[in-house]
Amino acid sequence: MDYQGTISRGLRAPIIKKGDNLVEIVANTVVESSKTHNFPLQDKDVVAVTEAVLARAQGNYATTEQIAKDIENKFGENTVGLIFPIFSRNRFSMILKGIAKGAKKLIIQLTYPGDEVGNSFISREQLYESKINPYTDVFTADQFHALFKDTHHKFTGVDYIQYYQEMGGNCQLILANNPLEILNHTKYVINADIHTRKLTKKLLLDNGAEKVVSLDEILSESVDGSGYNEQYGVLGSNLATQDSVKLFPRNSQQFVEELQAKLIKMTGKQIECMVYGDGAFKDPVGGIWELADPVCSPGYTKGLEGQPNELKLKYIADNELANLSGQEAVDAMKEKIKQKGNLFNNIQSQGTTPRRLTDLLGSLSDLTSGSGDKGTPIILIQNYFKNFAD
């Protein structure tokens, strides 16, 4: 029996800087790691590269002044409403700083008890005990602090209400969950939500907003020599310095195709490649849903398209093979897998994860590399496409 299933390896790489040939660096790292640690590369291996090093190699950065200039160009002298930002120093503080610089007056509307990716400053139990109506009730920062004495984030210790209010001297802050509340203050809005941004924008425009700009429309082209992302704007960006952000990378598809061609040339193996950002999973204690990027993977090769097509072994073992054991059960299970066909909407696949391959692989890569000082921005995943019958 082959006892090894899926293997996910974090590969260490040099510190990537602007202008580095990332295709060469990644390909050489994968091949040299294989030689040094004595494991063979195989067809259908997956090489995943974090978006951070691709954006860094591209030099895809922007300053808060460049964000401010884009905001000023889009809104002029109008009071700007900023609604539904996520609560994150890394993800949003520099964007907020730039927006505050570019707006003559800024009104920030936060959701409560937390943001769309699960960062909360009060618990749902506290919200329930307060007897307020989260669908209709609106608060100023002072009113909310008077009602809930401690609004510090459970994991970071930051009071994001206070932190965001102090980010710009021209900021007024309210807490409300109805996006239309902002229209009582201004008709010019930036909707900062990530995964619900299209619906939020439509709701605002259908109900009287004069102008609505989503985060994917800020720095969608270069401003005063800045980096940019034509598809995602400042979505997916991270704090770089105390006055700049690293944007989501451009041309991810071109990068993975060039990397795949290089690896095929060097190894003779059909290795699949992808760029990954945040995984898509939820912390069961903190309630944080990790995916603050607009997508798990902004670029991937064709072999990673689609969803898994897998039998639920536990279901088969407990039902069709309930009366078999030992080698007889093993042989029967292997035959079931070989004959499985398309399992869409089939009871035999119930309980398997109904997600895209790139989302699953991106989550596995994100958990393997971590977000701190492991120094492994390249992930090699092996045996992912093998099953019990192989």
Side-chain angles (χ1 to χ4, degrees):
M1 178 179 286
D2 182 355
Y3 287 95
Q4 290 194 110
T6 298
I7 301 167
S8 182
R9 289 185 173 91
L11 306 185
R12 292 203 170 90
I15 302 300
I16 308 300
K17 296 292 186 178
K18 178 180 179 180
D20 285 348
N21 187 330
L22 194 60
V23 168
E24 291 282 344
I25 291 172
V26 173
N28 289 335
T29 299
V30 171
V31 172
E32 290 304 313
S33 177
S34 170
K35 293 177 182 177
T36 300
H37 297 285
N38 196 31
F39 59 84
L41 298 171
Q42 310 166 62
D43 290 330
K44 295 299 287 184
D45 283 354
V46 179
V47 172
V49 181
T50 179
E51 56 82 22
V53 296
L54 178 56
R56 191 180 301 133
Q58 294 172 342
N60 202 23
Y61 290 80
T63 66
T64 57
E65 292 293 341
Q66 290 163 333
I67 295 173
K69 182 67 174 294
D70 202 14
I71 298 303
E72 187 178 348
N73 291 341
K74 286 178 165 62
F75 291 100
E77 296 293 306
N78 293 295
T79 295
V80 178
L82 171 66
I83 71 168
F84 296 177
I86 64 171
F87 309 142
S88 171
R89 291 165 294 178
N90 175 44
R91 288 293 191 168
F92 198 73
S93 64
M94 288 303 105
I95 297 174
L96 176 55
K97 188 175 180 179
I99 291 172
K101 284 182 180 181
K104 184 176 181 180
K105 182 180 179 182
L106 183 65
I107 300 170
I108 304 171
Q109 179 178 328
L110 303 182
T111 52
Y112 65 90
D115 66 13
E116 69 171 294
V117 296
N119 292 298
S120 299
F121 35 72
I122 60 169
S123 69
R124 294 191 176 276
E125 288 77 12
Q126 287 175 287
L127 186 66
Y128 173 77
E129 293 294 336
S130 71
K131 306 301 182 185
I132 66 175
N133 186 338
Y135 300 102
T136 59
D137 291 351
V138 180
F139 302 93
T140 66
D142 288 343
Q143 288 170 336
F144 201 84
H145 278 133
L147 188 59
F148 301 99
K149 303 302 183 186
D150 185 3
T151 56
H152 291 83
H153 190 281
K154 180 176 183 178
F155 286 168
T156 68
V158 175
D159 185 332
Y160 285 100
I161 299 172
Q162 180 180 354
Y163 185 73
Y164 279 11
Q165 190 170 32
E166 294 174 352
M167 187 60 65
N170 57 342
C171 293
Q172 174 187 340
L173 190 142
I174 60 173
L175 294 101
N177 292 326
N178 184 348
L180 302 185
E181 171 61 29
I182 198 67
L183 299 180
N184 294 321
H185 305 268
T186 179
K187 306 297 183 185
Y188 298 86
V189 183
I190 298 169
N191 67 300
D193 46 339
I194 304 166
H195 306 290
T196 53
R197 62 187 183 276
K198 292 181 180 179
L199 176 58
T200 300
K201 183 174 184 177
K202 180 173 172 54
L203 285 169
L204 290 166
L205 290 172
D206 287 350
N207 285 274
E210 294 288 334
K211 186 170 189 175
V212 182
V213 173
S214 302
L215 292 187
D216 57 5
E217 298 170 295
I218 298 172
L219 293 189
S220 57
E221 57 185 27
S222 183
V223 175
D224 289 347
S226 73
Y228 65 96
N229 190 301
E230 58 273 269
Q231 186 175 5
Y232 297 118
V234 295
L235 281 177
S237 63
N238 297 85
L239 183 149
T241 70
Q242 290 304 311
D243 202 43
S244 67
V245 294
K246 176 197 63 60
L247 302 172
F248 218 45
R250 303 191 306 272
N251 304 321
S252 295
Q253 191 61 38
Q254 177 183 338
F255 168 75
V256 296
E257 290 172 3
E258 290 178 0
L259 177 59
Q260 183 181 55
K262 181 72 173 178
L263 286 167
I264 290 172
K265 184 177 181 180
M266 292 177 70
T267 68
K269 302 297 182 182
Q270 184 68 31
I271 295 174
E272 303 297 338
C273 300
M274 65 182 289
V275 174
Y276 71 95
D278 275 346
F281 46 81
K282 187 171 183 177
D283 180 273
V285 176
I288 300 169
W289 180 43
E290 181 70 6
L291 188 57
D293 287 326
V295 289
C296 271
S297 176
Y300 50 88
T301 49
K302 289 184 178 180
L304 301 180
E305 292 177 351
Q307 297 178 199
N309 184 57
E310 299 175 346
L311 288 171
K312 189 71 170 179
L313 261 64
K314 292 185 291 185
Y315 178 83
I316 302 299
D318 288 343
N319 288 271
E320 297 183 38
L321 308 185
N323 296 322
L324 302 180
S325 61
Q327 190 60 43
E328 189 178 14
V330 169
D331 292 342
M333 186 69 79
K334 288 181 177 180
E335 189 60 30
K336 286 289 297 182
I337 295 171
K338 291 175 182 178
Q339 302 297 326
K340 64 185 176 182
N342 188 336
L343 296 172
F344 182 73
N345 198 26
N346 187 316
I347 189 65
Q348 293 181 335
S349 68
Q350 68 164 347
T352 57
T353 308
R355 290 168 59 188
R356 298 185 306 172
L357 288 167
T358 51
D359 296 338
L360 293 164
L361 288 163
S363 297
L364 175 58
S365 298
D366 190 30
L367 286 167
T368 302
S369 63
S371 58
D373 57 9
K374 289 185 174 65
T376 55
I378 303 164
I379 307 299
L380 175 65
I381 300 170
Q382 298 190 294
N383 300 342
Y384 190 83
F385 293 97
K386 291 185 177 180
N387 60 40
F388 188 73
D390 290 330

